[in-house]
Amino acid sequence: MATTMIYSSSIKGIALIASLPLFLHTLKQSLEPLYASLPVTTHLSNITLLSSLLSSFIPLPSTHPLWNEPSLLFLTSTLLSLAPKSTFVVGSYTARWHDVLWGPIVTHTLITAPIVFLHVLLLRTYITRTIPNPPQALAVPLVAWISVQLTEGLVGQNVPMGMRLPVDAVLSSDLLFIGLATLFATLALPTLLISLVTSTTPTPPPNSPKSKDSKPKSSLKSPHRSPLSTLPSLLLPALSLSSLALTTRQTLTPRNFPILSDDGGHRLLASSVGASGRITVGENIKDNYRYLRAGHSLLGGLWIGPKAHPASSKNPKSRHAPINLGDSIYSAFVLQEGALLFERSFPEDEDWSKKENKVLVIGLGAGIVPRSFFHHGLRPTVLELDSEVYKYARDYFGLDRLSLPENPQDPGSSNVGNDGEVYIGDARKWITERANITREENGGNGGKGKFDYVIHDVFSGGSVPGHLFTVEFWRDVRELMRDDGILAVNFAGEVGSNASKAILTTLLSIFSPQDGTSKGRCKAYHDAHEPIFTPPPPTAPSHESFINIVFFCSPTSSVNGGGMETRKVRYSDVKESPLREWVLGGFDRREVDLRYILGDTGSEGGEGEKKGGNGKEVGDEEFVLRDGWNRLGEWQVESGLEHWKLMRMVMPDEFWESY
């Protein structure tokens, strides 16, 4: 009997150790649409550790009807089965405070802390039964803390986007909660049944000599308990199993799209789980725009209906919910089209009139950038991590001219569409393999199979995947570009922050001049409404300015041997689009002095600079991002929290709660 208990406790303990990081991960996924990744994880470790410490000083479960092992297991199962609803209700309520610090803290206190508390309390119980000399009080909280670190290691902010748990691609957070609730109910049922059987089975009185005065004892004073006394023990199992059944039914019931809000101001067109989180398509009926979001980040949007300018983008229509689509609601996407305004050289031995301009777009979003290049007569190749993002961009944002090759992850695939192709998967892997193929075919020279323009926009949720900003990555990107090609890199954050400085410094280490010229081959432009960066400035702008900046770089200089020069804007560049005319018409006035970003220690000719990859002084070596040295995720925490507050100002709270 003792051996069986030890074996059973060991199995349950292992199950709890494995389920804790899965619960924390699932909770993070569930709250991301309301809070984004950074606010959710900022204080998660601290709250988990405090909950674990608190449970270490609570008495272990006994034989009390409401304080025993089965009851605590069923209570945990109940909280987990209610988690899909409770996380949404509590998270929506606290998010409306627009407080990026206390909102997540209160949410974790009400949702996360109780479940972690019960987790660790039960884990203490099983360790006590399994190990002859149980560890000290801090040992179990240490296990819980390790579980948190394991969770952060799998899905933390420093992990490249797309590297999530395998179950994310198949199961939603609601189904994962249900699975965890089922696990705890399953662990509780055998113990509950055994306790019920033993408590209702009569126990024979002990053998003792009978005295003369002894009388037969009444059956009412029998040592076994009445079945009525077990009712308190059945309350939690009944509550757990009923809530589990109800939540499962609600989760598995398919939703009928579109879903109109109660006030009629919002329409949810589609929603599903993808590699980058919860992907949704919605419409603001009052203000006439359609948007695509991943988690708590807007991937893009278009004006629709009356606000779709008659001449903008040739009025494409969406495949589902047909409607005219207009200009982008964000000017940053149009700013990336500025890559077409830079002068390029024309080799005498090449017939450029017959040349097929090729564009590589890293990060699809709502498809606004590749759609705009279609209308400039260019043929884009798109790299996108999430197949759900591609599906919605195609069906709801007029991007059905892109096609999937036979193998959407093969960089050498030749069976592609006439207008462009899209590859699904991690861009880093595709770029590396394609660069190796290009080196073998061209010997590192020539322009065969290379791209004229590379558009890099992977900003999402206040942060970017750091592995797509390292020296090694940009070196492979440069290998895929023609000598006079143009790279556009979108960055949203604070000017002069460590993150913006690191990105620019790393770009300069790869694209800086090699001929001794004073000008670098990188420039920066902003999309703000006012020309706040008009060089030479009397003072630097505030570092708290959260704006979009696009870095433009080229491997070589312009035709005259100088830095990157721009041409005049033509009618074909704007095509009667009011937004393009506003952004591109004043393109030169949007240039940002790189000294704002690099600071005193990193400029194009200042003192105290370090050597870059090719010997050019480009800035502090600390800010050159490498595969083995990359603090970009750490540096983006503050700007990521600021981004969440800005997103709450862009759309009403009710829209963020519709997913």
Side-chain angles (χ1 to χ4, degrees), residues 88 259 266 268 280 291 293 653-659:
F88 175 78
I259 301 175
H266 178 267
L268 182 64
T280 57
Y291 65 85
R293 58 178 282 207
D653 293 323
E654 294 81 1
F655 289 17
W656 293 113
E657 296 161 9
S658 178
Y659 56 88

Side-chain angles (χ1 to χ4, degrees), residues 396-476:
Y396 294 94
F397 294 89
L399 201 67
D400 50 2
R401 294 175 63 179
L402 280 179
S403 59
L404 283 168
E406 288 183 351
N407 185 354
Q409 297 181 343
D410 181 12
S413 178
S414 58
N415 183 16
V416 297
N418 295 326
D419 292 324
E421 61 268 13
V422 57
Y423 293 87
I424 305 299
D426 181 26
R428 178 67 182 268
K429 180 176 182 293
W430 192 96
I431 291 289
T432 301
E433 294 180 358
R434 181 65 177 263
N436 292 335
I437 294 174
T438 302
R439 292 186 182 100
E440 295 175 359
E441 293 179 349
N442 302 327
N445 299 313
K448 181 181 178 181
K450 295 192 175 185
F451 294 93
D452 301 276
Y453 301 97
V454 177
I455 311 299
H456 181 282
D457 186 2
V458 293
F459 180 84
S460 177
S463 61
V464 294
H467 71 304
L468 298 184
F469 286 86
T470 63
V471 166
E472 294 81 2
F473 175 76
W474 294 127
R475 187 176 291 120
D476 286 338

